[in-house]
Amino acid sequence: MRRRSLLAMGAAGGAAAVLGTGASALASPAAAGLAVRPSANPGTSPTSLRALAAKIGLRFGTALIPQDIETPAWAAIAASQFSVVTPGNGMKWQIVEPTQGVYDWSQADQLVAFARANGQLVRGHTLLWHNQLPTWLTTGVANGTITNAQLKQLLHNHIQVEVSRYRGRIWQWDVANEFFLDANPSGIDPNNFWISHLGPDIIPQAFRWAHAADPGALLFYNDYNITGEDGTNAKSDAVYAWLKQMLSEGVPIMGVGSQGHLDTQYGFSPQLFQQDLERYASLGLKVAITEADVRTFVNNATDQVPTDHLAVFAQPYEFSGMLKAALAVPQVISFTIWGFTDADSWVPGTFAGEGYATIYDVNQQPKPAYYELQADLELGAFGAPRRVPTPMP
Ligand code: G3I
């Protein structure tokens, strides 16, 4: 059963104002339970992450899933600490079109309404990815009832419908996500679902379709291990070369998102991280840290207490290394954490034995990483360069 936002109760009258007109076949925003009552004075604490980041024009963000918005104490943190939000899952194709032609915008609408109520921008995530595709689509392709030509048309429709629905509401769109190989040398993965069926030209095509649907949105390529995390920097080299090529062909790519999923068991070089951010910026692109978290080994998935006593130092150190590098590069316009609390982080469910990846513990208390980032932002406010200006939705 679909959960309804607790915050949405009694505020349906404001729904029409939240969204513009989308494709006429779509469910109305009011029917989707869209409106959210503005919370009291969000983000007014001068020491909140969002307020400190604002001093240099940086947006500080988090991914949100419905539970974060529907649990009042969690929503209070989400509203007060962050100035840009990303749906953890709610805008992915599997979620928005679970049955062909039948749309479910409830999660996406809920997030967009929450952002509006709390003075936050939105990062749309993600339009072209091999993961979290609807079963009807992958099954149809596998059994041949969906041809490659039809697949391309379905993708065009998906991008056109979703981007149009939120036109003017999205600051940054992650148009294409995770196409490059974890290998040395790297390159676009020929076995990627989209590449194997439609070829590599589908990526620039997706950017063109998204740009046509919302010319004001900043369009991003988003990936992990593209800022030196692989050690060799091979993946960054490949993404950099590809971006340069795409830009020379006039493809409307405006930014690159470095996800920033770190793990304390591997090496991390803040210097290389910064160098790669600078290299992307040198192409004339905006840059965003889009999914930062730092995982480590823990006692169990419920309590998430690190098993190595040094991890409680390494975890905030790596978070801080990413943020300081970002602060040094004015083209980095946002720094987003992939969920603010260990209580609903994706990490324990994906990496057996690991957790403690965010900046709030399982009881929503700020961890050392929170205070480290807060201190970095306080210092940054006195010395870091102001962010470059961007178009705003
Ligand atoms: O919704 C179903 C639920 O009905 C079912 O009972 C449950 C049983 O496992 O699964 C639920 O779906 C899960 C979904 O998240 C929603 O919670 C999927 O199993 C789970 O695989 C899925 O994980 C998401 C993951 O992407 C999928 O690859 C994570 O929440 C999400 O945080 C994560 O986000 C990605 C970014 O989009 C791209 N970059 C990497 C990042 C982390 O993997």
Side-chain angles (χ1 to χ4, degrees), residues 88-89 92 125 129 131-132 177-178 259 261 291 338 346:
N89 292 300
K92 295 169 181 173
H125 176 87
W129 191 28
N131 208 350
Q132 288 179 287
N177 196 47
E178 300 174 6
Q259 294 183 359
H261 292 296
E291 306 182 14
W338 202 242
W346 69 294

